[in-house]
Amino acid sequence: MAEPPVVIWKHEVERWLRYKELIPRLEEALGKFSSRDSAEVIQPVRTTLVLQKHNGFMGLMPTYMEKDAVLCTKFVCFYKREDGSTLPSTQATVVLLDPEYGNVKAVMDGDIITRMRTAAASAISARLLMRPDAEVLTILGTGNQALSHYDVFTEMFSFKEVRVWSRTTEGVERFRHSVSGPVMPYVSVEEAVRGADVIVTVTRCTEPVLFGQWVKPGAHVAAVGACRPDWRELDDVLMKEAVVYTDSREGAMTESGDVILSGADIFAELGEVINGTKPAYREKTTVFKSLGMGVEDAVSAKLIFDQWKVNANKS
């Protein structure tokens, strides 16, 4: 008889999900996804339901990893909020199931999982694609994803300078008081990105905010926002001149306005670089277009649940 599902709250997710354990597991999962072995990862493109009255969407992200015996799905609601809105832009819940019996094993807060696995994927892209002498990091945006990206990028890499930009001075000040190290605020996107070696875009923009003419040749861009086919963060010049990588080719061709509207070619999935089937062009300008994938949530949920079991057995 199946045991009742465990509920793992936000503070417990924060306690048991750590980048040092997550990143190697996530890197392995991205490689498995891009191997196209049906027994490794079965993951359809995210199903999205429009919440027209609330200017939002609900996404369903199921994943099955047969060899690892992981069955998982995430429910995520995301919204196009007005500037100054106090409502959350995303809310998520992750459900872990037993693939043999079909029962729910755990229900857990998905917001922390989403923030951390997204930032971890961006950091993996930077480790593979940025120039080894990178010194300047710029983050466009000051929300929760900006904070998680700051945390993992400063944990994994040693940048001499971190810059930040937001549409509002309040956003910049809140960000500066939330992070552990010094950041340089900018009121202009152009000034913030000029000369930067790595640029992270985690904005709520639906029109291009980052333009190719401002980007230093050889810079790496991790583009996280704009997860709808008619939303943009990057302009056509950058998308067409850069070597474009993504987490899922099929997902980007379905959901990414940066890819669809620019007509840019996708050179490779990140997992193909990890597997060694596609090269990492560090010397060129590169873009990693991140949409987020169910396999990233599944790996995170399994890690958290395993940690919960170990600690539950101790008590």
Side-chain angles (χ1 to χ4, degrees):
M1 182 176 177
E3 295 182 356
V6 174
V7 178
I8 302 178
W9 301 102
K10 177 181 177 180
H11 70 277
E12 296 174 295
V13 173
E14 290 178 319
R15 175 184 175 188
W16 290 318
L17 193 60
R18 293 287 182 266
Y19 287 119
K20 65 180 181 179
E21 289 93 15
L22 175 61
I23 286 174
R25 289 168 173 81
L26 196 59
E27 191 166 325
E28 181 182 3
L30 291 169
K32 288 179 177 179
F33 173 78
S34 294
S35 72
R36 297 300 187 264
D37 181 344
S38 61
E40 292 282 11
V41 178
I42 300 173
Q43 178 198 273
V45 173
R46 174 169 33 213
T47 299
T48 304
L49 180 70
V50 179
L51 309 175
Q52 189 167 357
K53 179 181 178 180
H54 304 289
N55 207 13
F57 308 85
M58 186 189 80
L60 180 64
M61 304 171 65
T63 300
Y64 177 41
M65 305 173 72
E66 186 171 275
K67 291 182 179 178
D68 297 308
V70 179
L71 179 62
C72 181
T73 193
K74 182 170 77 176
F75 303 88
V76 56
C77 292
F78 54 99
Y79 303 87
K80 183 180 177 184
R81 302 295 193 194
E82 298 295 330
D83 288 341
S85 172
T86 58
L87 295 173
S89 58
T90 62
Q91 290 280 287
T93 302
V94 176
V95 178
L96 190 64
L97 304 97
D98 186 305
E100 183 176 5
Y101 291 94
N103 61 291
V104 175
K105 295 198 295 184
V107 179
M108 56 190 78
D109 179 274
D111 289 339
I112 299 298
I113 290 173
T114 301
R115 295 173 201 172
M116 291 186 65
R117 60 79 153 151
T118 304
S122 295
I124 292 169
S125 82
R127 187 179 63 79
L128 295 171
L129 300 171
M130 77 179 187
R131 297 173 67 96
D133 58 352
E135 295 183 344
V136 179
L137 167 68
T138 292
I139 300 175
L140 303 181
T142 54
N144 289 322
Q145 280 289 358
L147 291 170
S148 61
H149 277 74
Y150 175 91
D151 288 342
V152 70
F153 272 70
T154 54
E155 181 178 319
M156 285 185 63
F157 311 110
S158 298
F159 293 103
K160 291 184 177 179
E161 182 181 333
V162 179
R163 306 172 181 175
V164 64
W165 168 87
S166 173
R167 289 188 182 278
T168 66
T169 55
E170 293 83 6
V172 170
E173 288 307 305
R174 185 174 59 251
F175 183 89
R176 292 178 68 187
H177 287 97
S178 299
V179 300
S180 57
V183 294
M184 296 186 62
Y186 283 79
V187 296
S188 158
V189 175
E190 180 178 358
E191 291 176 350
V193 301
R194 287 278 189 189
D197 301 296
V198 179
I199 303 167
V200 175
T201 61
V202 279
T203 74
R204 294 188 292 182
C205 297
T206 57
E207 298 293 335
V209 66
L210 179 61
F211 293 84
Q213 67 189 45
W214 302 338
V215 176
K216 174 182 177 180
H220 174 61
V221 178
V224 177
C227 58
R228 294 293 296 158
D230 57 344
W231 294 0
R232 302 285 301 269
E233 282 188 311
L234 317 182
D235 78 332
D236 287 354
V237 172
L238 178 55
M239 288 300 297
K240 290 182 177 180
E241 290 185 353
V243 182
V244 178
Y245 298 79
T246 189
D247 42 17
S248 164
R249 186 178 277 102
E250 184 181 8
M253 293 303 298
T254 303
E255 297 184 308
S256 170
D258 285 318
V259 172
I260 297 166
L261 299 178
S262 68
D265 292 326
I266 298 171
F267 174 72
E269 292 177 345
L270 206 58
E272 293 176 303
V273 179
I274 292 167
N275 293 338
T277 57
K278 288 290 183 72
Y281 286 116
R282 289 180 178 269
E283 72 282 2
K284 297 184 179 181
T285 304
T286 53
V287 167
F288 170 58
K289 180 55 205 174
S290 170
L291 276 305
M293 300 196 298
V295 68
E296 299 169 357
D297 301 310
V299 167
S300 303
K302 184 179 187 302
L303 176 57
I304 293 164
F305 186 66
D306 289 346
Q307 294 280 356
W308 177 88
K309 285 194 298 183
V310 169
N311 283 271
N313 290 335
K314 289 179 180 179
S315 58

